[in-house]
Amino acid sequence: MSELINKRTFGGRPFPNPVAKRHQVGVFLAVVAVIGVVVAWVRIRALLPDSIPMHWNAAGEIDRYGNPDEMWIMVIIFAVLALAVLILVRFPQATNTLFSPKTDAGWQEYYGSVRDFSIGLSLVITALNLVMILTANPEWNLPIFWVCMPLALAVALIAVHLRRTHQLSKKK
């Protein structure tokens, strides 16, 4: 009886397998990306004028200007959110699911998907943080759409590629 209790947590779900090497690498890269974006903000902050656009309306027109130091709040919020999502790599069993796999192997596959998604989401959040920083200077004239969409698409395609490669290697 105690063996069953030790093997199961969170409503009868099995413990996840140890974090795979590819997930450890993914977490490392995500943390390095977050640190890189914060360092980029420190470097870019010195190049910004005293007043920068802070908000755009639905027509794409600037409707508020502000001090660049106001962006520290958003940079920190994005960085903390990106790092917080990575907690799910260590504790995928804490997530909610609409289905319940019938086998331990099914649960392990679900946990692998949660880990892949968490790393990918962290990278997307970090990319959006970088976009916010790069579009802060109106003199650089970087349309947010042309920066944001390729970054988000690249991260999504990399995540799909890694997941499919992992699934195909398991079938062999």
Side-chain angles (χ1 to χ4, degrees), residues 2 4 14 38-39 54 57 60 68 107 115 117 136 139 161 163 170:
S2 64
L4 181 64
V38 173
V39 168
M54 297 300 280
N57 62 18
W107 277 109
R115 287 172 168 159
F117 178 78
E139 294 172 6
H161 170 71
R163 187 69 189 151
K170 284 177 63 174

Side-chain angles (χ1 to χ4, degrees), residues 13-170:
R13 295 179 181 185
F15 276 109
N17 290 338
V19 179
K21 190 72 162 176
R22 68 190 183 92
H23 291 127
Q24 291 173 356
V25 170
V27 169
F28 175 77
L29 292 176
V31 170
V32 168
V34 169
I35 293 169
V37 166
V38 173
V39 168
W41 171 244
V42 171
R43 300 289 306 256
I44 289 173
R45 170 58 188 100
L47 303 173
L48 295 177
D50 292 337
S51 180
I52 62 171
M54 297 300 280
H55 192 266
W56 290 260
N57 62 18
E61 301 161 345
I62 300 168
D63 59 4
R64 183 170 99 70
Y65 286 88
N67 188 330
D69 291 332
E70 292 178 45
M71 285 186 59
W72 267 114
I73 296 168
M74 291 305 297
V75 170
I76 290 170
I77 288 172
F78 272 76
V80 167
L81 183 61
L83 294 175
V85 168
L86 292 176
I87 292 171
L88 292 178
V89 173
R90 176 65 179 91
F91 301 104
Q93 70 272 25
T95 59
N96 195 9
T97 176
L98 297 174
F99 63 93
S100 181
K102 304 295 182 211
T103 64
D104 280 0
W107 277 109
Q108 299 307 327
E109 186 67 28
Y110 169 73
Y111 294 153
S113 296
V114 169
R115 287 172 168 159
D116 289 338
F117 178 78
S118 300
I119 293 167
L121 182 60
S122 177
L123 291 172
V124 167
I125 292 168
T126 304
L128 291 175
N129 199 359
L130 181 62
V131 167
M132 180 184 68
I133 291 168
L134 291 177
T135 58
N137 193 337
E139 294 172 6
W140 296 339
N141 196 20
L142 291 172
I144 194 165
F145 177 79
W146 295 112
V147 176
C148 181
M149 293 310 294
L151 280 174
L153 183 61
V155 169
L157 289 175
I158 289 168
V160 168
H161 170 71
L162 291 175
R163 187 69 189 151
R164 293 206 51 172
T165 303
H166 174 69
Q167 287 175 337
L168 292 175
S169 68
K170 284 177 63 174

